């Protein structure tokens, strides 16, 4: 830098001495006197700069040998802008690609130490030098023709020169021109093609060579000549060939076969636009005669945003007041808006197939719901109908909050309103009908962390909360851990199976999860070979399938209590012989076949679908399993259905599943009678109006869990039992906080670390036994408390630290919580009352309430924001909130 400055000073001194010498020898004249010592001078004092090119400027105080610190501006704007050009702190000016309407600008240097000292340079901006990268076609027949020129820096009114002839030119964009003209017989042979940009600073590009050839009499035209196509839509083109019996053509997109970025075209001329707008958003469709490849016709296609299509809305029955609406369909994008009766709602983009919105309905009746996509090509979908219903509250807000704590990843003001207005049954009906959350296909460089992100995003944003909560409960029972399975495709397909089947039938859960390669790899069912003489098949999955996933170690009564023998000891559910027989039944399965390969005994590790049987590796001999005969000669899949059906019909399964779901959703200490009532719903497949009547129906079973009198007895403080409830799991608690304060986000990674700090790194349990066992006595208590197994000094502090960070530090840079309702609640009493309803379902104790009010009182009465944060922090970090009752 110093050398550069010294060099500049040296040049300035020489120029100054020459100028002074000239003055003495030439006499008066019209020469400009040199600047006086101490004056700031910008060099060069004037310049012409073409678009996108650079010019270095320097500034120096005359007579001063030290470096002069200056600030640079363009037309008075510090650093300049995209319209007039930009300049760096070192004086390097970059011209805009095209000059503004007034192409004379001023570069100004202002001395940093003395802002009264300024100096300027006058700049004339000129059009850039055009550049050609390709022309099409390169073979031009005698007669009329059309050219497409691709390149850069094509200015408005640029002209294509065909030899010495200026063609009629259309500027498509700064990177593409089309031109039409007529080639004569005298031009046959090579001809130069260039582009000339007009004034200011008219200038031509380099040349490219095309060839003019004698025509074959074949002509081709293309309709439509131009088209505007919405992303994902199809536009059909018609090529008309005259002068030849063969009218076939070769289609192309931008001179190629097309890509996922620019779209594709079929042999029949059907162009499918890409899923999103490319840059630039125009492509050229060409049809080339197969008889005479010199004959080419083209059409310019402008691609705009897709037309949204709505397939479903949920719920379809909406209570007056605030609500959360989920719309599914296709063609959604960032900036899409859900319209509710013509009113645009604040909308969250979840995926190209799902949008969520929060709104408020004041009057009852039918309401049309549409989706509008933004420009370019902004368009509105067809409509679906929602019905707004009114009336008195069906259940109290207290009951609604408790119900949502058990049936979702946490209540929001909108879902509390919906449940309280519509009642439990209508809410459950809408949840059973809600669109299923999705797990996107992993990218090439993705890992299990990307699946974790999708898990948390679904839990925070999506409307099928009941399905997601049940799927999470099943995930903690049918455990697969990333400590062994690290492929994100494996985890994606595993979570899809759990999510799709969570409200279906438990038999489908058993079979679909069993056949996921993730489970096959985790518990060694994949490539489990038919044993040789004197050998045993792998027994790992066979054992855990019975012990942890379906039946349990000991036989139980219908209410889940253990059966005892004459000595008062539990009776085992199965024997080692059963484990060995089941292991044999599960032989012969391998990874799915990779694309392009053929099935083999041990397929290479691959997770792109369910496991496949290799029949000759399946032990199809006779077996006895759980007292049932397994006939010889069955295929691997038939035998899998056989043994799974035997397990499915075992008397242990209904109470086993019932108790597991109760523990995960409602209470750690259900009564045997509660377990039996839910087990009966599992057996009959019916509960009230819910269920298909088939054993294992999950809708009937889940409804029985949530609507049982024991689950609902805490809806009124008068009927609450102090032994009911459960410690909130870290993952559920974290998401609940985000949901309660409208923390919508497109980044799920921010939830992973807090949950891991509380010893629940989702999908990364230490073993098949989950993060905590189903039976874990609370220390110094006779009560069961599974989640307390990961509650210790460190994790209890991690919980409090998370709450502190969420309230005072902002959840993360990409997710901020909205505390406005609490801030605007009014008095400290009203703040506490609002939080008591939403988080504690009106059970706050008097000592806790008084303590919070005292803490709020220590905050300035004018600082309502920090008063609200104080109240939120104390409620969420309290033991009364940490335990879901």
């Amino acid at each position: 830098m110093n050398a550069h400055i010294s060099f500049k000073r040296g040049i300035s001194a020489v120029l100054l001495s020459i100028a002074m010498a000239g003055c003495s020898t030439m006499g008066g004249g019209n020469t400009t006197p040199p600047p006086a010592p101490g004056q700031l001078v910008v060099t060069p004092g004037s310049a012409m700069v073409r678009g996108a090119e650079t010019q270095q400027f320097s500034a120096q105080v005359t007579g001063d040998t030290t470096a002069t610190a200056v600030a640079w501006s363009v037309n008075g704007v510090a650093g300049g802008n995209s319209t007039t050009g930009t300049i760096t702190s070192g004086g390097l000016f970059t011209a805009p690609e095209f000059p503004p309407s007034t192409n004379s600008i001023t570069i100004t240097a202002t001395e940093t130490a003395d802002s009264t000292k300024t100096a300027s340079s006058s700049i004339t901006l000129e059009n850039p030098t055009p550049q050609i990268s390709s022309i099409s076609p390169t073979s031009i027949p005698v007669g009329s023709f059309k050219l497409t020129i691709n390149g850069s820096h094509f200015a408005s009114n640029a002209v294509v020169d065909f030899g010495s002839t200026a063609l009629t030119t259309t500027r498509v964009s700064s990177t593409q021109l089309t031109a039409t003209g007529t080639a004569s017989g005298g031009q046959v042979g090579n001809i130069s093609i260039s582009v000339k940009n007009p004034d200011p600073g008219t200038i031509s590009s380099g040349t490219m060579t095309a060839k003019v050839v004698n025509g074959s009499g074949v002509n081709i035209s293309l309709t439509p000549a131009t088209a505007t196509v919405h992303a994902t839509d199809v536009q059909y083109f018609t090529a008309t060939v005259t002068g030849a019996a063969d009218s076939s053509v070769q289609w192309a997109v931008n001179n190629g076969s097309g890509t996922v970025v620019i779209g594709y075209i079929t042999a029949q001329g059907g162009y499918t636009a890409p899923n999103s707008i490319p840059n630039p958003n125009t492509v050229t469709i060409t049809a080339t005669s197969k008889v005479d490849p010199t004959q080419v016709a083209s059409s310019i296609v402008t691609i705009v945003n897709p037309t949204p299509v709505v397939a479903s809305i949920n719920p379809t029955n909406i209570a007056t007041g605030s609500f959360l609406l989920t719309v599914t369909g296709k063609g959604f994008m960032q900036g899409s808006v859900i319209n509710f009766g013509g009113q645009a709602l604040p909308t969250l983009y979840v995926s190209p197939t799902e949008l969520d919105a929060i709104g408020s309905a004041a009057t009852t009746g039918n309401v049309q719901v549409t989706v509008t996509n933004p420009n370019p090509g902004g368009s509105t979908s067809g409509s679906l109908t929602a019905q707004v219903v009114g009336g008195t509250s069906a259940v109290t807000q207290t009951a609604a909050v408790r119900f949502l704590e058990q049936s979702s990843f946490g209540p929001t003001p909108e879902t509390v309103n919906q449940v309280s207005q519509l009642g439990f049954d209508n809410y459950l009906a809408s949840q059973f009908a809600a669109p299923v959350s999705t797990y996107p296909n992993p990218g090439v460089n993705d890992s299990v962390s990307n699946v974790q992100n999708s898990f948390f995003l679904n839990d925070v944003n999506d409307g099928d909360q009941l399905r997601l909560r049940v799927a999470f409960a099943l995930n903690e029972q049918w455990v697969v851990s990333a400590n062994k399975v690290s492929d994100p495709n494996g985890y994606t397909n595993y979570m899809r199976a759990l999510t799709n089947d969570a409200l279906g039938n438990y038999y489908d859960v058993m079979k679909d999860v069993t056949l996921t390669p993730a489970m096959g790899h985790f518990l060694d069912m994949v490539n489990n070979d038919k044993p040789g003489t004197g050998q045993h098949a792998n027994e790992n999955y066979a054992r855990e399938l019975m012990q942890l996933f379906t039946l349990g170690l000991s036989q139980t009564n219908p209410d889940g209590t253990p059966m005892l023998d004459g000595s008062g000891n539990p009776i085992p559910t199965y024997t080692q012989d059963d484990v060995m027989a089941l292991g044999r039944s599960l032989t012969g399965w391998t990874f799915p076949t990779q694309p392009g390969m053929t099935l083999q005994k041990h397929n290479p590790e691959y997770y792109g679908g369910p496991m496949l049987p290799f029949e000759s590796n399946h032990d199809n001999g006779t077996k006895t399993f759980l007292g049932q005969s397994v006939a010889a000669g069955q295929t691997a899949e038939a035998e899998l259905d056989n043994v799974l059906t035997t397990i499915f019909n075992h008397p242990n399964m209904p109470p086993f599943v019932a108790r597991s779901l109760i523990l995960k959703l409602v209470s750690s200490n259900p009564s045997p009678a509660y377990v039996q009532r839910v087990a009966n719903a599992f057996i009959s497949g019916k509960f009230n109006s819910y269920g298909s009547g088939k054993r294992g129906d999950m809708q009937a079973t889940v409804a029985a869990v949530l609507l049982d009198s024991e689950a609902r007895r805490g809806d009124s403080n008068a009927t609450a039992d102090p032994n009911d409830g459960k410690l909130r799991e870290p993952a559920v608690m974290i998401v609940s906080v985000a949901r309660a304060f409208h923390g919508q986000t497109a980044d799920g990674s921010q939830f992973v670390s807090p949950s891991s700090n509380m010893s629940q790194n989702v999908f990364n349990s230490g073993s098949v036994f989950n993060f905590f066992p189903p039976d874990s006595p609370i220390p110094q208590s006779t009560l069961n408390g599974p989640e307390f197994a990961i509650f210790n000094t460190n994790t209890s502090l991690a919980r409090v630290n998370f709450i502190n960070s969420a309230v005072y530090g902002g959840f993360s840079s990409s997710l901020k919580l909205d505390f406005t309702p609490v801030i605007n609640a009014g008095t400290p009493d009203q703040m506490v009352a609002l939080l008591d309803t939403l988080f504690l379902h009106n059970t706050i104790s008097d000592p806790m309430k008084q303590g919070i009010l005292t803490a709020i009182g220590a905050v300035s009465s004018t600082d309502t924001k920090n008063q609200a944060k104080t109240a939120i922090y104390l409620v969420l970090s309290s033991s009364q909130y940490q335990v879901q009752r």
Side-chain angles (χ1 to χ4, degrees), residues 204-573:
S204 295
S205 69
T207 61
M208 294 195 78
T209 302
K211 188 173 185 179
V212 177
V213 298
N214 285 313
S216 62
V218 175
N219 287 297
I220 183 170
S221 61
L222 188 60
T223 55
T226 61
T228 298
V229 183
H230 290 276
T232 75
D233 282 0
V234 177
Q235 170 70 52
Y236 285 94
F237 292 87
T238 301
T240 302
V241 178
T242 59
D246 185 352
S247 61
S248 60
V249 297
Q250 178 68 47
W251 293 96
V253 183
N254 284 2
N255 299 321
S257 58
T259 68
V260 68
V261 175
I262 61 175
Y264 298 92
I265 194 164
T266 67
Q268 292 73 41
Y271 169 70
T272 301
N275 292 334
S276 58
I277 300 176
N279 183 21
N281 69 324
T282 57
V283 298
T284 302
I285 303 297
T286 56
T288 302
S289 169
K290 291 186 177 179
V291 172
D292 182 359
T294 65
Q295 294 300 304
V296 181
S298 62
S299 176
I300 303 300
V301 176
T302 301
I303 303 166
V304 296
N305 283 329
T307 301
V309 176
V310 293
S312 71
I313 55 176
N314 188 268
T316 53
N317 289 331
I318 297 172
T320 53
S322 59
F323 62 83
L324 173 67
L325 186 66
T326 296
V327 177
T328 62
K330 64 179 182 178
F332 304 153
M333 56 187 303
Q334 295 284 357
S336 295
V337 173
I338 295 175
N339 308 298
F340 187 77
Q343 176 188 2
L345 301 180
T347 303
L348 171 71
Y349 171 81
V350 178
S351 72
T353 60
E354 181 181 339
L355 301 172
D356 291 341
I358 292 173
S360 181
T363 58
T364 61
N366 291 337
V367 177
Q368 300 305 303
V369 177
T370 62
V371 170
T372 299
N373 276 354
N375 284 322
S379 56
T380 299
S381 69
S383 64
L384 293 176
T385 302
Q387 185 176 22
V388 179
V389 297
T392 58
S393 296
V395 297
T396 65
Q397 285 197 330
T398 294
V401 170
R402 284 193 74 248
F403 185 81
L404 288 164
E405 288 180 332
Q406 298 164 352
S407 62
S408 74
F409 273 88
T412 67
E414 294 73 32
T415 54
V416 170
N417 177 67
Q418 293 296 292
V419 174
S420 62
Q421 294 294 313
L422 299 177
F424 300 141
D425 286 321
N426 285 330
Y427 179 78
L428 281 179
S430 71
Q431 284 293 290
F432 290 148
V436 180
S437 288
T438 59
Y439 281 83
N441 292 326
V444 175
N445 298 318
D446 284 355
S447 64
V448 172
S449 64
N450 296 90
V451 191
Q452 289 177 310
N453 295 352
S454 296
F455 167 81
F456 280 112
L457 280 180
N458 290 344
D459 298 340
V460 173
N461 297 326
D462 283 7
D464 59 334
Q465 284 287 301
L466 178 58
R467 179 182 290 107
L468 291 169
R469 185 70 188 273
V470 174
F472 183 47
L474 294 173
N475 162 257
E476 295 185 291
Q477 182 176 325
W478 294 77
V479 174
V480 170
S481 178
N483 64 21
K484 183 175 180 181
V485 181
S486 58
D487 190 295
N489 290 286
Y491 248 96
T492 296
N493 289 329
Y494 160 72
M495 287 306 298
R496 284 173 178 168
L498 291 177
T499 306
N500 291 335
D501 295 341
L503 297 178
N505 192 283
Y506 200 79
Y507 182 85
D508 295 327
V509 176
M510 296 171 63
K511 184 172 182 179
D512 290 344
V513 176
T514 293
L515 290 181
T516 60
M519 180 62 80
H521 179 45
F522 185 60
L523 290 179
D524 306 320
M525 179 176 154
V526 71
N527 296 332
N528 181 20
D529 294 343
K530 176 175 64 176
T533 303
Q535 296 179 327
H536 300 290
N538 189 289
E539 301 168 3
N540 201 10
Y541 185 65
R543 190 182 309 279
E544 308 305 358
L545 174 62
M546 292 187 288
Q547 177 184 340
L548 299 178
F549 303 164
T550 57
L551 304 177
L553 287 171
S554 303
Q555 295 183 38
T556 62
N557 296 304
D559 62 4
T561 57
M563 286 185 179
L564 304 177
D565 60 18
S567 301
N569 298 314
I571 303 172
T573 305

Side-chain angles (χ1 to χ4, degrees), residues 718-743:
T719 61
D721 187 313
N723 293 329
D724 285 346
K726 60 193 294 293
L727 181 67
R728 296 181 196 271
E729 292 183 56
V732 177
M733 188 266 289
I734 291 167
V735 174
S736 294
V737 172
R739 285 177 54 79
F741 293 113
H742 294 151

Side-chain angles (χ1 to χ4, degrees), residues 444 447 587 674 717:
V444 175
S447 64
T587 55
Y674 182 10
N717 289 343

Side-chain angles (χ1 to χ4, degrees), residues 444-802:
V444 175
N445 298 318
D446 284 355
S447 64
V448 172
S449 64
N450 296 90
V451 191
Q452 289 177 310
N453 295 352
S454 296
F455 167 81
F456 280 112
L457 280 180
N458 290 344
D459 298 340
V460 173
N461 297 326
D462 283 7
D464 59 334
Q465 284 287 301
L466 178 58
R467 179 182 290 107
L468 291 169
R469 185 70 188 273
V470 174
F472 183 47
L474 294 173
N475 162 257
E476 295 185 291
Q477 182 176 325
W478 294 77
V479 174
V480 170
S481 178
N483 64 21
K484 183 175 180 181
V485 181
S486 58
D487 190 295
N489 290 286
Y491 248 96
T492 296
N493 289 329
Y494 160 72
M495 287 306 298
R496 284 173 178 168
L498 291 177
T499 306
N500 291 335
D501 295 341
L503 297 178
N505 192 283
Y506 200 79
Y507 182 85
D508 295 327
V509 176
M510 296 171 63
K511 184 172 182 179
D512 290 344
V513 176
T514 293
L515 290 181
T516 60
M519 180 62 80
H521 179 45
F522 185 60
L523 290 179
D524 306 320
M525 179 176 154
V526 71
N527 296 332
N528 181 20
D529 294 343
K530 176 175 64 176
T533 303
Q535 296 179 327
H536 300 290
N538 189 289
E539 301 168 3
N540 201 10
Y541 185 65
R543 190 182 309 279
E544 308 305 358
L545 174 62
M546 292 187 288
Q547 177 184 340
L548 299 178
F549 303 164
T550 57
L551 304 177
L553 287 171
S554 303
Q555 295 183 38
T556 62
N557 296 304
D559 62 4
T561 57
M563 286 185 179
L564 304 177
D565 60 18
S567 301
N569 298 314
I571 303 172
T573 305
Y574 53 85
T575 66
Q576 176 59 24
D577 287 342
D578 292 317
V579 174
M580 294 172 63
L582 182 57
R584 292 173 57 205
S585 292
L586 300 178
T587 55
W589 294 88
T590 188
F591 286 104
T593 305
Q594 293 182 7
M597 299 184 68
T598 57
L599 177 66
Q600 51 190 302
K601 178 181 176 180
H602 288 173
N603 273 342
E605 187 172 335
Y606 177 61
Y607 295 88
M611 292 191 294
L612 296 176
F614 192 85
E615 293 299 342
S616 63
N617 196 33
H618 169 60
D619 183 343
N620 63 357
T622 303
K623 310 166 189 75
T624 299
F625 173 60
L626 293 177
Q628 303 291 319
S629 176
V630 179
Q634 298 184 71
T635 64
E637 184 163 14
E639 190 161 332
L640 176 65
D641 283 326
N642 187 327
V643 294
L644 289 182
T645 300
T646 298
I647 296 172
F648 184 64
N649 289 320
H650 192 282
N652 263 33
M653 174 162 280
F656 182 92
V657 175
R659 184 171 184 269
S660 177
L661 289 174
I662 294 170
L663 292 182
K664 293 293 190 296
L665 302 178
V666 177
S667 175
S668 297
N669 295 275
S671 69
Y674 182 10
V675 172
Q676 184 164 356
R677 290 191 293 270
V678 176
N680 288 341
F682 183 96
I683 294 168
S684 65
K686 291 290 291 183
F687 178 80
N688 297 342
S689 61
Y690 301 103
S692 61
K694 296 181 180 179
R695 181 184 178 93
D697 187 285
M698 290 295 284
Q699 292 189 13
T701 304
V702 170
V705 169
L706 296 173
L707 298 178
D708 189 85
S709 58
E710 194 166 318
R712 305 271 52 86
R713 67 184 175 191
D715 290 351
S716 166
N717 289 343
T719 61
D721 187 313
N723 293 329
D724 285 346
K726 60 193 294 293
L727 181 67
R728 296 181 196 271
E729 292 183 56
V732 177
M733 188 266 289
I734 291 167
V735 174
S736 294
V737 172
R739 285 177 54 79
F741 293 113
H742 294 151
Q744 296 175 333
T745 181
D747 178 16
S749 63
Q750 60 207 304
F751 298 94
V752 176
S753 180
S755 186
S756 179
N757 290 340
M758 301 175 206
S759 293
Q760 192 175 34
N761 186 358
V762 174
F763 304 159
N764 278 281
S765 63
S767 72
V768 72
F769 294 97
N770 189 24
F771 297 100
F772 44 81
D775 295 294
S776 180
I778 301 174
Q780 301 177 358
S781 169
T782 59
L783 294 175
N784 184 39
E787 295 81 4
F788 279 95
I790 57 171
F791 186 82
N792 52 44
T793 302
N794 290 335
T795 58
S796 63
L797 287 175
R799 286 175 180 253
V800 175
N801 287 338
F802 161 74

